[in-house]
Amino acid sequence: MTKKNPIITTPLSWHQSHWDKVTAQAADETMPHAYLVSAEADTGKRHFATMLAQFLLCRNPVDNAACGFCPMCLLNQAGNNPDFLIVEPEDGSKIIKVEQVRELKKFLETSSHSFGKRIILLDTAESLGVSSANALLKGLEEPPADVLFLLLTDRPKAVLATVTSRCQVIALPRPQPAEAFAWLIGHMPEVKPEELSLLLEISRNRPFEAILMHAEGRIEQHQEIGAGLMELVSHKSLPTVVAARYAKTQAKEVIQVLSYWLSALGRYQLTGKSEFLKGSSLKQAGNMLLNKEGHSKQQTRALFSLYTEVMVAQSQLLGGSNPNAQLLLEDLFIQLQSLTCYRAA
Protein backbone atom coordinates (compact mmCIF):
# COMPACT_ATOMS: atom_id res chain seq x y z
CA MET A 1 0.00 0.00 0.00
CA THR A 2 1.05 3.61 -0.46
CA LYS A 3 1.94 5.58 2.61
CA LYS A 4 1.73 9.30 3.31
CA ASN A 5 5.20 10.85 3.38
CA PRO A 6 6.25 14.44 4.04
CA ILE A 7 8.75 15.63 1.46
CA ILE A 8 12.33 15.20 2.71
CA THR A 9 14.84 17.67 1.29
CA THR A 10 17.92 17.19 3.49
CA PRO A 11 19.92 13.98 3.98
CA LEU A 12 21.05 13.09 7.47
CA SER A 13 24.57 14.38 8.07
CA TRP A 14 25.93 10.88 8.72
CA HIS A 15 24.51 9.73 5.35
CA GLN A 16 25.84 12.62 3.26
CA SER A 17 28.67 10.77 1.50
CA HIS A 18 26.37 7.88 0.54
CA TRP A 19 23.74 10.33 -0.65
CA ASP A 20 26.30 12.05 -2.87
CA LYS A 21 27.28 8.70 -4.43
CA VAL A 22 23.70 7.67 -5.16
CA THR A 23 22.72 11.03 -6.68
CA ALA A 24 25.89 10.91 -8.80
CA GLN A 25 24.75 7.53 -10.11
CA ALA A 26 21.37 9.05 -10.91
CA ALA A 27 23.02 11.90 -12.81
CA ASP A 28 25.25 9.48 -14.74
CA GLU A 29 22.34 7.08 -15.36
CA THR A 30 24.34 4.25 -13.77
CA MET A 31 21.89 3.31 -11.02
CA PRO A 32 21.22 -0.39 -10.56
CA HIS A 33 17.70 -1.78 -10.67
CA ALA A 34 17.77 -2.60 -6.95
CA TYR A 35 19.45 -1.29 -3.79
CA LEU A 36 19.64 -3.11 -0.48
CA VAL A 37 19.90 -0.30 2.08
CA SER A 38 21.41 -1.64 5.28
CA ALA A 39 21.68 0.25 8.56
CA GLU A 40 21.25 -0.24 12.27
CA ALA A 41 17.63 0.07 13.37
CA ASP A 42 16.29 3.59 13.97
CA THR A 43 19.32 5.39 12.55
CA GLY A 44 17.65 6.68 9.39
CA LYS A 45 17.61 4.12 6.57
CA ARG A 46 13.89 4.75 5.93
CA HIS A 47 14.65 8.49 5.81
CA PHE A 48 17.40 7.84 3.23
CA ALA A 49 15.27 5.56 1.03
CA THR A 50 12.19 7.80 1.16
CA MET A 51 14.22 10.86 0.23
CA LEU A 52 15.76 8.95 -2.68
CA ALA A 53 12.36 7.79 -3.94
CA GLN A 54 10.94 11.31 -3.71
CA PHE A 55 13.98 12.76 -5.51
CA LEU A 56 13.74 10.27 -8.38
CA LEU A 57 9.99 10.77 -8.79
CA CYS A 58 10.14 14.58 -8.65
CA ARG A 59 9.61 16.46 -11.93
CA ASN A 60 11.76 19.46 -10.92
CA PRO A 61 14.40 18.39 -8.38
CA VAL A 62 16.47 21.14 -6.77
CA ASP A 63 20.00 20.57 -5.38
CA ASN A 64 19.62 16.77 -5.48
CA ALA A 65 16.32 16.79 -3.60
CA ALA A 66 12.62 16.78 -4.42
CA CYS A 67 11.15 20.23 -5.06
CA GLY A 68 8.04 19.63 -2.93
CA PHE A 69 5.71 21.47 -5.34
CA CYS A 70 5.44 19.52 -8.60
CA PRO A 71 2.48 17.15 -9.24
CA MET A 72 4.52 14.08 -8.26
CA CYS A 73 5.65 15.66 -4.97
CA LEU A 74 2.07 16.63 -4.15
CA LEU A 75 0.96 13.05 -4.81
CA ASN A 76 3.71 11.79 -2.49
CA GLN A 77 2.62 14.19 0.23
CA ALA A 78 -0.97 13.02 -0.12
CA GLY A 79 0.14 9.39 0.02
CA ASN A 80 -1.44 8.34 -3.25
CA ASN A 81 1.33 8.43 -5.85
CA PRO A 82 0.53 5.48 -8.15
CA ASP A 83 4.22 5.20 -9.10
CA PHE A 84 5.43 4.73 -5.50
CA LEU A 85 4.63 1.45 -3.76
CA ILE A 86 5.55 0.72 -0.12
CA VAL A 87 5.52 -2.91 0.98
CA GLU A 88 6.00 -3.75 4.67
CA PRO A 89 4.67 -6.23 7.22
CA GLU A 90 1.02 -5.59 7.93
CA ASP A 91 -0.13 -4.63 11.42
CA GLY A 92 0.41 -7.49 13.85
CA SER A 93 2.58 -9.46 11.43
CA LYS A 94 6.35 -9.93 11.43
CA ILE A 95 6.61 -11.09 7.83
CA ILE A 96 5.80 -9.82 4.35
CA LYS A 97 3.21 -12.24 3.04
CA VAL A 98 3.12 -13.91 -0.37
CA GLU A 99 -0.14 -12.06 -1.11
CA GLN A 100 1.66 -8.73 -0.65
CA VAL A 101 4.39 -9.76 -3.08
CA ARG A 102 1.74 -10.78 -5.59
CA GLU A 103 0.30 -7.28 -5.37
CA LEU A 104 3.81 -6.02 -5.98
CA LYS A 105 3.98 -8.12 -9.14
CA LYS A 106 0.79 -6.47 -10.40
CA PHE A 107 2.49 -3.11 -9.86
CA LEU A 108 5.40 -4.31 -12.01
CA GLU A 109 3.06 -5.26 -14.82
CA THR A 110 1.50 -1.80 -15.10
CA SER A 111 3.00 1.24 -16.81
CA SER A 112 4.18 4.44 -15.18
CA HIS A 113 1.41 6.98 -14.77
CA SER A 114 3.87 9.85 -15.23
CA PHE A 115 6.10 8.29 -17.90
CA GLY A 116 8.99 8.38 -15.45
CA LYS A 117 10.42 6.21 -12.69
CA ARG A 118 8.42 3.78 -10.56
CA ILE A 119 9.71 2.99 -7.08
CA ILE A 120 9.11 -0.04 -4.86
CA LEU A 121 10.21 0.47 -1.24
CA LEU A 122 10.24 -2.85 0.63
CA ASP A 123 10.70 -2.57 4.40
CA THR A 124 12.11 -4.87 5.71
CA ALA A 125 13.93 -7.36 3.49
CA GLU A 126 14.65 -9.83 6.31
CA SER A 127 10.90 -10.20 6.84
CA LEU A 128 10.58 -11.94 3.49
CA GLY A 129 9.93 -15.64 3.98
CA VAL A 130 11.19 -18.19 1.48
CA SER A 131 7.89 -18.24 -0.41
CA SER A 132 7.67 -14.43 -0.50
CA ALA A 133 11.30 -14.13 -1.60
CA ASN A 134 10.78 -16.65 -4.38
CA ALA A 135 7.76 -14.70 -5.56
CA LEU A 136 9.88 -11.53 -5.59
CA LEU A 137 12.93 -12.96 -7.35
CA LYS A 138 11.55 -12.82 -10.89
CA GLY A 139 10.86 -9.12 -10.46
CA LEU A 140 14.40 -8.58 -9.18
CA GLU A 141 15.89 -10.65 -12.01
CA GLU A 142 13.92 -9.08 -14.87
CA PRO A 143 12.50 -5.76 -13.70
CA PRO A 144 10.98 -3.26 -16.12
CA ALA A 145 13.48 -0.61 -17.13
CA ASP A 146 11.64 2.16 -15.30
CA VAL A 147 11.43 0.34 -11.92
CA LEU A 148 13.80 0.76 -8.97
CA PHE A 149 13.66 -1.52 -5.92
CA LEU A 150 14.67 -0.08 -2.54
CA LEU A 151 14.95 -2.94 -0.04
CA LEU A 152 15.66 -1.99 3.59
CA THR A 153 17.18 -4.07 6.37
CA ASP A 154 18.80 -3.70 9.78
CA ARG A 155 19.85 -7.37 9.76
CA PRO A 156 21.63 -7.90 6.42
CA LYS A 157 22.83 -11.39 7.35
CA ALA A 158 19.19 -12.44 7.77
CA VAL A 159 18.29 -11.45 4.19
CA LEU A 160 18.17 -14.42 1.84
CA ALA A 161 21.33 -14.64 -0.27
CA THR A 162 19.26 -14.97 -3.43
CA VAL A 163 17.80 -11.52 -2.71
CA THR A 164 21.05 -9.83 -1.64
CA SER A 165 22.93 -11.06 -4.72
CA ARG A 166 20.51 -9.23 -6.98
CA CYS A 167 20.97 -5.85 -5.27
CA GLN A 168 23.65 -3.22 -4.90
CA VAL A 169 24.25 -2.91 -1.15
CA ILE A 170 24.38 0.49 0.55
CA ALA A 171 25.70 0.07 4.10
CA LEU A 172 24.77 3.26 5.93
CA PRO A 173 26.79 4.21 9.02
CA ARG A 174 25.34 4.92 12.45
CA PRO A 175 25.73 8.50 13.64
CA GLN A 176 28.43 9.67 15.96
CA PRO A 177 26.99 10.82 19.32
CA ALA A 178 27.63 14.48 18.52
CA GLU A 179 25.87 14.15 15.15
CA ALA A 180 22.83 12.45 16.66
CA PHE A 181 22.67 15.00 19.49
CA ALA A 182 22.87 17.96 17.09
CA TRP A 183 20.12 16.46 14.92
CA LEU A 184 17.87 15.86 17.92
CA ILE A 185 18.32 19.44 19.15
CA GLY A 186 17.14 20.65 15.74
CA HIS A 187 14.08 18.39 15.80
CA MET A 188 13.19 18.62 19.50
CA PRO A 189 14.17 22.17 20.60
CA GLU A 190 11.58 22.11 23.38
CA VAL A 191 13.34 19.25 25.19
CA LYS A 192 16.12 20.02 27.68
CA PRO A 193 19.62 19.02 26.48
CA GLU A 194 20.18 16.75 29.50
CA GLU A 195 16.99 14.82 28.67
CA LEU A 196 18.06 14.51 25.03
CA SER A 197 21.40 13.16 26.21
CA LEU A 198 19.65 10.56 28.37
CA LEU A 199 17.33 9.59 25.50
CA LEU A 200 20.33 8.97 23.26
CA GLU A 201 22.07 6.99 25.98
CA ILE A 202 19.07 4.74 26.52
CA SER A 203 18.38 4.32 22.81
CA ARG A 204 22.05 3.47 22.22
CA ASN A 205 22.60 6.49 20.00
CA ARG A 206 19.66 5.77 17.68
CA PRO A 207 18.02 9.18 17.12
CA PHE A 208 14.73 7.97 15.63
CA GLU A 209 14.25 5.60 18.55
CA ALA A 210 15.01 8.51 20.89
CA ILE A 211 12.21 10.58 19.30
CA LEU A 212 9.77 7.68 19.65
CA MET A 213 10.80 7.11 23.27
CA HIS A 214 10.10 10.73 24.11
CA ALA A 215 6.74 10.70 22.32
CA GLU A 216 5.66 7.56 24.18
CA GLY A 217 6.86 8.77 27.59
CA ARG A 218 9.33 5.92 27.90
CA ILE A 219 11.72 7.85 30.13
CA GLU A 220 9.20 7.31 32.93
CA GLN A 221 8.92 3.63 31.98
CA HIS A 222 12.72 3.38 32.02
CA GLN A 223 12.79 4.80 35.55
CA GLU A 224 10.12 2.34 36.74
CA ILE A 225 12.00 -0.63 35.28
CA GLY A 226 15.21 0.70 36.82
CA ALA A 227 13.53 0.62 40.23
CA GLY A 228 12.59 -3.02 39.56
CA LEU A 229 16.17 -3.90 38.70
CA MET A 230 17.30 -2.24 41.91
CA GLU A 231 15.01 -4.63 43.82
CA LEU A 232 17.12 -7.44 42.38
CA VAL A 233 20.48 -5.80 43.02
CA SER A 234 19.52 -5.09 46.64
CA HIS A 235 18.03 -8.60 47.05
CA LYS A 236 14.63 -7.20 47.98
CA SER A 237 12.81 -9.32 45.37
CA LEU A 238 13.31 -12.72 43.78
CA PRO A 239 14.19 -12.98 40.07
CA THR A 240 11.06 -15.08 39.48
CA VAL A 241 8.84 -12.38 40.99
CA VAL A 242 10.35 -9.49 39.00
CA ALA A 243 10.37 -11.57 35.80
CA ALA A 244 6.67 -12.37 36.20
CA ARG A 245 5.95 -8.64 36.57
CA TYR A 246 7.39 -7.81 33.16
CA ALA A 247 7.38 -10.98 31.04
CA LYS A 248 3.95 -10.66 29.43
CA THR A 249 3.94 -7.01 28.39
CA GLN A 250 7.35 -5.37 28.85
CA ALA A 251 10.03 -7.98 28.13
CA LYS A 252 11.59 -6.00 25.24
CA GLU A 253 11.63 -2.80 27.27
CA VAL A 254 13.26 -4.54 30.25
CA ILE A 255 15.95 -6.02 28.01
CA GLN A 256 16.62 -2.56 26.57
CA VAL A 257 17.00 -1.02 30.02
CA LEU A 258 19.16 -3.89 31.25
CA SER A 259 21.37 -3.55 28.17
CA TYR A 260 21.82 0.14 28.88
CA TRP A 261 22.56 -0.52 32.56
CA LEU A 262 25.23 -3.13 31.85
CA SER A 263 26.87 -0.97 29.19
CA ALA A 264 27.00 1.98 31.59
CA LEU A 265 28.23 -0.16 34.50
CA GLY A 266 30.94 -1.66 32.31
CA ARG A 267 32.18 1.75 31.20
CA TYR A 268 32.10 3.00 34.80
CA GLN A 269 34.03 -0.02 36.01
CA LEU A 270 36.70 0.34 33.33
CA THR A 271 37.14 4.11 33.57
CA GLY A 272 35.97 5.07 37.06
CA LYS A 273 33.97 7.95 35.52
CA SER A 274 30.69 8.34 37.40
CA GLU A 275 29.10 10.40 34.61
CA PHE A 276 28.29 7.12 32.87
CA LEU A 277 25.80 6.38 35.67
CA LYS A 278 22.75 8.52 34.89
CA GLY A 279 19.65 8.31 37.04
CA SER A 280 19.31 7.51 40.72
CA SER A 281 18.67 3.76 40.34
CA LEU A 282 21.70 3.22 38.13
CA LYS A 283 23.91 5.22 40.49
CA GLN A 284 22.72 3.11 43.41
CA ALA A 285 23.37 -0.06 41.41
CA GLY A 286 26.88 1.12 40.56
CA ASN A 287 27.63 1.73 44.23
CA MET A 288 26.24 -1.64 45.28
CA LEU A 289 27.67 -3.81 42.48
CA LEU A 290 31.07 -2.38 41.72
CA ASN A 291 34.13 -2.07 43.87
CA LYS A 292 35.46 1.42 44.46
CA GLU A 293 38.84 0.02 45.47
CA GLY A 294 39.29 -1.91 42.24
CA HIS A 295 37.52 -4.92 40.81
CA SER A 296 38.23 -8.59 40.41
CA LYS A 297 38.71 -10.28 37.06
CA GLN A 298 35.83 -12.56 37.99
CA GLN A 299 33.50 -9.63 38.42
CA THR A 300 34.57 -8.09 35.11
CA ARG A 301 34.06 -11.37 33.28
CA ALA A 302 30.65 -11.88 34.88
CA LEU A 303 29.50 -8.35 34.00
CA PHE A 304 30.51 -8.58 30.36
CA SER A 305 29.29 -12.16 30.04
CA LEU A 306 25.86 -11.01 31.20
CA TYR A 307 25.95 -8.11 28.75
CA THR A 308 26.63 -10.56 25.91
CA GLU A 309 23.69 -12.72 26.99
CA VAL A 310 21.43 -9.67 27.11
CA MET A 311 22.42 -8.82 23.53
CA VAL A 312 21.54 -12.36 22.45
CA ALA A 313 18.20 -12.14 24.27
CA GLN A 314 17.44 -8.82 22.61
CA SER A 315 18.18 -10.32 19.20
CA GLN A 316 15.86 -13.23 19.94
CA LEU A 317 13.00 -10.98 21.03
CA LEU A 318 13.34 -8.64 18.05
CA GLY A 319 14.11 -11.36 15.52
CA GLY A 320 10.85 -13.21 15.89
CA SER A 321 12.20 -16.44 17.43
CA ASN A 322 9.51 -16.14 20.15
CA PRO A 323 11.47 -17.29 23.23
CA ASN A 324 9.83 -17.93 26.61
CA ALA A 325 10.06 -14.40 28.03
CA GLN A 326 9.50 -15.50 31.64
CA LEU A 327 12.37 -18.00 31.61
CA LEU A 328 14.61 -15.66 29.63
CA LEU A 329 14.16 -12.81 32.13
CA GLU A 330 14.53 -15.13 35.14
CA ASP A 331 17.90 -16.34 33.87
CA LEU A 332 19.18 -12.82 33.24
CA PHE A 333 17.89 -11.56 36.58
CA ILE A 334 19.57 -14.41 38.48
CA GLN A 335 22.88 -13.44 36.86
CA LEU A 336 22.32 -9.75 37.61
CA GLN A 337 21.63 -10.52 41.25
CA SER A 338 24.68 -12.76 41.48
CA LEU A 339 26.99 -9.89 40.48
CA THR A 340 26.86 -8.76 44.11
CA CYS A 341 28.76 -11.96 45.04
CA TYR A 342 31.88 -10.56 43.41
CA ARG A 343 31.99 -7.35 45.43
CA ALA A 344 34.96 -7.23 47.69
CA ALA A 345 34.29 -7.16 51.41
Side-chain angles (χ1 to χ4, degrees), residues 7 27 39 45 48 62 82 84 95-96 100 122 182 196 223 238 274 281 287 293 302 330 337:
I7 299 300
K45 63 182 177 297
F48 183 95
V62 179
F84 186 22
I95 63 170
I96 292 174
Q100 292 177 272
L122 192 147
L196 291 179
Q223 293 169 339
L238 294 172
S274 60
S281 294
N287 290 331
E293 304 301 327
E330 283 180 15
Q337 202 169 63

Side-chain angles (χ1 to χ4, degrees), residues 123-246:
D123 189 1
T124 55
E126 69 267 19
S127 61
L128 283 166
V130 175
S131 298
S132 299
N134 288 337
L136 177 67
L137 284 178
K138 184 172 177 59
L140 284 173
E141 290 170 344
E142 302 174 5
D146 63 344
V147 170
L148 174 68
F149 285 88
L150 297 173
L151 278 61
L152 312 185
T153 183
D154 52 37
R155 294 190 296 125
K157 292 182 180 179
V159 180
L160 294 174
T162 49
V163 172
T164 302
S165 64
R166 288 164 174 80
C167 304
Q168 185 175 120
V169 177
I170 301 176
L172 298 174
R174 65 178 296 160
Q176 294 297 315
E179 290 177 309
F181 186 72
W183 186 81
L184 276 182
I185 286 178
H187 284 74
M188 303 170 69
E190 74 285 358
V191 181
K192 294 179 180 179
E194 54 268 28
E195 185 174 344
L196 291 179
S197 179
L198 180 58
L199 283 166
L200 278 176
E201 283 275 353
I202 299 170
S203 67
R204 303 187 64 77
N205 203 43
R206 295 181 294 167
F208 288 86
E209 173 70 5
I211 286 177
L212 184 61
M213 289 181 68
H214 180 265
E216 295 179 349
R218 279 194 267 159
I219 286 290
E220 292 79 9
Q221 183 186 53
H222 178 275
Q223 293 169 339
E224 189 275 326
I225 292 172
L229 296 180
M230 264 307 299
E231 292 177 28
L232 295 167
V233 172
S234 59
H235 291 259
K236 291 180 179 178
S237 292
L238 294 172
T240 52
V241 173
V242 181
R245 185 188 308 167
Y246 297 116

Side-chain angles (χ1 to χ4, degrees), residues 107-121:
F107 178 86
L108 291 174
E109 293 165 0
T110 62
S111 300
S112 170
H113 289 71
S114 64
F115 305 101
K117 278 279 187 186
R118 288 185 292 150
I119 311 291
I120 297 171
L121 191 158

